[in-house]
């Protein structure tokens, strides 16, 4: 079995299973930052914060996805929300072509309707259950786990890149910039960003993010925190969670290119079980 996943997952390496990562990229008219092992988050953020050129993200192409499937007999494809990116649609087109050339193989595509740490939770679920179920049982169970038992949240200091690329209402972004507040929210069931709270102060923002987790059904399960050069905020949230759930399974990690571009410096993206 093999996992193919896009780089919006914030993965660089996956232990315990054969895998390939389809890279997204961040572009201006003069530079391209490919979301692979050569990516340097400080270099990209420093450049984008000082350039006057417009910037945008680009999803993996059909051929990029096709190459990740290899010649395996069973492939599970995990993509970020199709409502936010063309990554899933590229993966599906590639899968249709791949199946024509590999008629004896099986492939399953998962639109996570999320991003980053929720994609990680799905990978972990596969690794933990791949030897316990058939391919069909596993993929059905994975789909249910992803859409019923996981949730994504975020806390952002800036919404500029989201607004400039049509992912969020520019008026909300302008309010955040003008008032210098944190925007805390999650995704809708369709995979669209849903800003919920406007909060002043980092500690208050982490408390609000945790309250939203509890409201969504968090009960001390897995929590994955990906941050954009904000380890203090990530640890602040982890400490708040552990005060109520000392045994919570929490992993803190860095974002790669796509999440760094949209969450921007100081942003957090979290995925958790509920």
């Amino acid at each position: 079995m093999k996992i193919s996943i896009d780089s919006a997952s914030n993965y660089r390496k996956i232990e315990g299973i054969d895998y390939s990562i389809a890279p997204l990229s961040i572009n201006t008219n003069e530079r391209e930052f490919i979301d692979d092992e050569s990516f340097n988050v400080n270099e990209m953020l420093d450049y984008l914060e000082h350039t006057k050129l417009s910037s945008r993200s680009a999803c993996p192409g059909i051929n990029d996805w096709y190459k990740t499937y290899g010649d395996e007999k069973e492939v599970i494809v995990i993509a970020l929300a199709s409502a936010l990116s063309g990554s899933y649609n590229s993966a599906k087109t590639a899968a249709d072509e791949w199946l024509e050339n590999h008629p004896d193989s099986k492939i399953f595509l998962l639109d996570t309707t999320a991003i980053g740490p929720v994609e990680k939770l799905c990978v972990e679920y596969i690794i933990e259950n791949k030897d316990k179920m058939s391919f069909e049982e596993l993929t059905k169970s994975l789909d249910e786990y992803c859409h019923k038992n996981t949730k994504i949240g975020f806390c952002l200091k800036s919404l500029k890149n989201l607004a400039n690329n049509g992912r969020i209402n520019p008026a909300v972004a302008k309010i955040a910039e003008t008032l210098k507040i944190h925007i805390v929210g999650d995704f809708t069931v369709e995979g669209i960003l849903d800003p919920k709270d406007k909060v002043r102060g980092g500690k208050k923002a982490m408390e609000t993010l945790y309250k939203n987790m509890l409201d969504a059904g968090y009960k001390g399960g897995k929590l994955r925190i990906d941050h954009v050069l904000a380890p203090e905020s990530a640890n602040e949230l982890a400490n708040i969670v552990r005060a109520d759930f000392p045994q919570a399974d929490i992993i803190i990690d860095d974002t790669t290119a796509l999440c760094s571009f949209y969450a921007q410096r100081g942003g957090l993206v979290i995925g958790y079980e509920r």
Side-chain angles (χ1 to χ4, degrees), residues 206-271:
M206 293 305 101
E207 291 172 348
T208 302
L209 187 55
Y210 177 52
K211 179 183 180 299
N212 288 352
M213 290 171 59
L214 294 175
D215 291 345
Y218 180 73
K219 298 180 178 66
K222 288 183 178 181
L223 168 62
R224 303 294 176 255
I225 307 172
D226 292 345
H227 65 88
V228 190
L229 303 177
E232 298 85 0
S233 296
N235 281 294
E236 176 88 41
L237 177 61
N239 290 335
I240 292 172
V241 173
R242 288 192 177 111
D244 287 340
F245 301 103
Q247 304 305 316
D249 178 356
I250 302 174
I251 297 177
I252 297 172
D253 204 354
D254 302 315
T255 53
T256 56
L258 188 82
C259 284
S260 298
F261 175 66
Y262 284 117
Q264 298 187 245
R265 194 183 298 271
L268 260 64
V269 186
I270 65 169

Side-chain angles (χ1 to χ4, degrees), residues 175-186:
I175 290 171
E177 179 183 358
T178 302
L179 300 180
K180 298 187 183 303
I181 55 180
H182 296 75
I183 301 296
V184 178
D186 54 27

Side-chain angles (χ1 to χ4, degrees), residues 5-12 21-25 35 119 256-258:
I5 191 168
D6 57 39
S7 63
S9 60
N10 297 322
Y11 267 130
R12 283 289 174 250
I21 301 174
L24 291 97
S25 62
D35 202 356
E119 294 183 73
T256 56
L258 188 82

Side-chain angles (χ1 to χ4, degrees), residues 86-105:
S87 184
Y88 175 83
N89 290 331
S90 290
K92 187 177 186 308
T93 302
D96 292 340
E97 181 180 342
W98 184 81
L99 280 174
E100 292 180 6
N101 298 321
H102 300 79
D104 296 328
S105 297

Side-chain angles (χ1 to χ4, degrees), residues 11 33 56-57 65 81 102 123 131 186 194 196 200 208 228 243 261:
Y11 267 130
F33 297 90
R56 58 200 173 274
S57 60
W65 272 114
H102 300 79
V123 170
D131 298 324
D186 54 27
D194 184 16
K196 291 183 177 297
R200 290 188 181 275
T208 302
V228 190
F261 175 66

Side-chain angles (χ1 to χ4, degrees), residues 2-251:
K2 181 178 186 179
I3 290 174
S4 292
I5 191 168
D6 57 39
S7 63
S9 60
N10 297 322
Y11 267 130
R12 283 289 174 250
K13 188 175 182 181
I14 303 174
E15 302 285 353
I17 198 167
D18 185 18
Y19 72 94
S20 289
I21 301 174
L24 291 97
S25 62
I26 308 302
N27 307 283
T28 68
N29 289 338
E30 67 177 16
R31 292 201 64 176
E32 178 181 48
F33 297 90
I34 299 175
D35 202 356
D36 59 18
E37 292 182 354
S38 68
F39 172 73
N40 183 296
V41 64
N42 283 291
E43 180 184 1
M44 184 188 79
L45 292 179
D46 287 345
Y47 168 76
L48 293 176
E49 288 165 359
H50 291 92
T51 185
K52 294 183 179 179
L53 297 173
S54 60
S55 53
R56 58 200 173 274
S57 60
C59 69
I62 295 169
N63 190 52
D64 295 320
W65 272 114
Y66 189 99
K67 290 187 293 186
T68 69
Y69 303 155
D71 295 313
E72 306 300 326
K73 290 296 183 183
E74 298 176 339
V75 180
I76 297 178
V77 183
I78 300 175
L80 78 150
S82 61
L84 295 178
S85 167
S87 184
Y88 175 83
N89 290 331
S90 290
K92 187 177 186 308
T93 302
D96 292 340
E97 181 180 342
W98 184 81
L99 280 174
E100 292 180 6
N101 298 321
H102 300 79
D104 296 328
S105 297
K106 302 173 183 177
I107 191 165
F108 173 80
L109 283 80
L110 177 68
D111 177 356
T112 60
T113 62
I115 199 170
V118 165
E119 294 183 73
K120 290 180 175 178
L121 289 174
C122 291
V123 170
E124 292 176 24
Y125 186 85
I126 294 168
I127 293 171
E128 291 165 3
N129 292 282
K130 64 184 175 66
D131 298 324
K132 304 174 185 177
M133 309 177 189
S134 68
F135 183 80
E136 290 75 17
E137 290 170 337
L138 176 58
T139 53
K140 181 179 179 181
S141 179
L142 170 66
D143 186 80
E144 182 173 333
Y145 170 78
C146 177
H147 296 117
K148 293 185 179 180
N149 299 108
T150 71
K151 184 71 174 174
I152 190 163
F154 59 82
C155 177
L156 309 179
K157 289 185 174 181
S158 174
L159 305 177
K160 177 183 176 182
N161 290 338
L162 285 167
N164 288 346
N165 285 268
R167 266 66 175 188
I168 207 164
N169 188 328
V172 177
K174 187 65 177 178
I175 290 171
E177 179 183 358
T178 302
L179 300 180
K180 298 187 183 303
I181 55 180
H182 296 75
I183 301 296
V184 178
D186 54 27
F187 282 24
T188 67
V189 294
E190 297 83 12
I192 299 171
L193 279 83
D194 184 16
K196 291 183 177 297
D197 303 284
K198 304 174 184 68
V199 185
R200 290 188 181 275
K203 187 174 189 301
K204 180 65 174 176
M206 293 305 101
E207 291 172 348
T208 302
L209 187 55
Y210 177 52
K211 179 183 180 299
N212 288 352
M213 290 171 59
L214 294 175
D215 291 345
Y218 180 73
K219 298 180 178 66
K222 288 183 178 181
L223 168 62
R224 303 294 176 255
I225 307 172
D226 292 345
H227 65 88
V228 190
L229 303 177
E232 298 85 0
S233 296
N235 281 294
E236 176 88 41
L237 177 61
N239 290 335
I240 292 172
V241 173
R242 288 192 177 111
D244 287 340
F245 301 103
Q247 304 305 316
D249 178 356
I250 302 174
I251 297 177

